[in-house]
Amino acid sequence: MKRRSLLLGTAVGLVAPAVLAPTAPALGATRPAPAWGTAPVPHSTRPTVPRRNLAARLTTLPAQTKQVIVVGSTSYTTTYATLEAYVKVRGRWQPASASLPARIGSKGFSDNHVEGVPTTPTGVYSIGPTMYGIAANPGVRYPYHRLVSGDWWNENPASAQYNSFQHTSTNPGGASEALWTEVPAYTHFAVITYNMVPNVAKPVPNAGSGIFLHQFSTSAGNATAGCVSLSHDNLVDVLSWLDPTLSPRIVLSPYAQLGRY
């Protein structure tokens, strides 16, 4: 969605979150990776987490899913959200992170997101098969593409390549994004598969495009055009933790509606 981060002023009330104490560095990582693995978190490094277990309320996740990210908010209209990561250990969901401050669309969540409206679509989605970024790979477990000039996200509903990555010398049209120019939002990002395979067989024209998990565009955090955004360090921790072999999912919803997922 064009203009990923809408600069609507500073975000009041965002505080530095508590995160897991780092352990051994992940393969290829340039900074320590959080202890967000497939084993229980040792008591001495367990973060401060909400007493509620949001993942335990989810009933529609695929059986093979062993990692889930829940992005929740107190209402449909707020632009402030939290991101919490969970890992399934011996058949039970356990928290893998503290509650991390996040921002969503400038018009909040929507059950009926459409192209050009700055809402974040509710639902359960996969993480796209490739992660991207203007900067070098920070140590993610997914294939990573470092963006170059000519890398676009096609957001033209009239195009046969609508809602997909394209490398082309010409603008695909519509509200398509020149990904390599979106600094700092696209320092690194993951694709949320809204209106994409496997959630739909083929993108539906005008149903919305370019929903990513990316970095804040301001140091204080700001509402987006429909994406989910985090601080740089929190984003890198999350992207590095996600493991494609564990079939991760991301759930986007106001807290009151989580039970339907």
Side-chain angles (χ1 to χ4, degrees):
M1 178 170 287
K2 193 68 173 178
R3 292 300 156 214
R4 198 75 20 230
S5 298
L6 302 179
L7 306 183
L8 301 178
T10 58
V12 178
L14 287 182
V15 296
V19 294
L20 294 185
T23 57
L27 182 64
T30 57
R31 59 192 296 268
W36 296 2
T38 56
V41 179
H43 179 74
S44 61
T45 61
R46 190 176 298 279
T48 302
V49 296
R51 292 182 179 179
R52 68 196 188 284
N53 185 326
L54 299 179
R57 297 165 57 183
L58 304 172
T59 60
T60 67
L61 296 177
Q64 68 270 26
T65 291
K66 300 296 188 293
Q67 289 180 325
V68 67
I69 292 170
V70 179
V71 178
S73 68
T74 56
S75 73
Y76 272 96
T77 56
T78 183
T79 70
Y80 291 84
T82 60
L83 182 149
E84 296 173 29
Y86 294 86
V87 61
K88 184 171 276 189
V89 180
R90 293 185 290 276
R92 300 185 65 179
W93 288 108
Q94 296 191 12
S97 78
S99 179
L100 307 178
R103 297 301 296 273
I104 57 173
S106 64
K107 291 192 175 181
F109 277 123
S110 174
D111 295 338
N112 298 287
H113 176 71
V114 294
E115 190 69 48
V117 178
T119 54
T120 297
T122 56
V124 180
Y125 305 103
S126 298
I127 301 299
T130 301
M131 292 182 179
Y132 300 89
I134 294 168
N137 187 345
V140 303
R141 303 170 195 242
Y142 279 72
Y144 186 88
H145 174 76
R146 189 167 186 179
L147 297 168
V148 297
S149 179
D151 285 346
W152 296 82
W153 198 265
N154 186 322
E155 303 191 17
N156 179 0
S159 169
Q161 285 77 43
Y162 177 57
N163 201 18
S164 70
F165 173 86
Q166 283 187 264
H167 181 78
T168 174
S169 59
T170 58
N171 187 330
S176 295
E177 288 189 273
L179 299 174
W180 73 97
T181 68
E182 294 285 347
V183 179
Y186 294 168
T187 300
H188 311 290
F189 70 89
V191 177
I192 297 171
T193 62
Y194 169 77
N195 198 27
M196 297 175 64
V197 173
N199 284 81
V200 295
K202 182 178 180 181
V204 177
N206 290 303
S209 58
I211 302 299
F212 305 145
L213 175 62
H214 68 74
Q215 181 177 324
F216 291 152
S217 287
T218 68
S219 59
N222 45 274
T224 72
C227 293
V228 177
S229 63
L230 299 171
S231 70
H232 172 81
D233 285 353
N234 286 344
L235 177 70
V236 168
D237 282 349
V238 172
L239 297 187
S240 300
W241 171 73
L242 286 166
D243 185 346
T245 68
L246 300 179
S247 190
R249 294 293 188 272
I250 183 168
V251 181
L252 310 177
S253 175
Y255 296 126
Q257 280 68 46
L258 272 178
R260 64 188 179 184
Y261 303 118

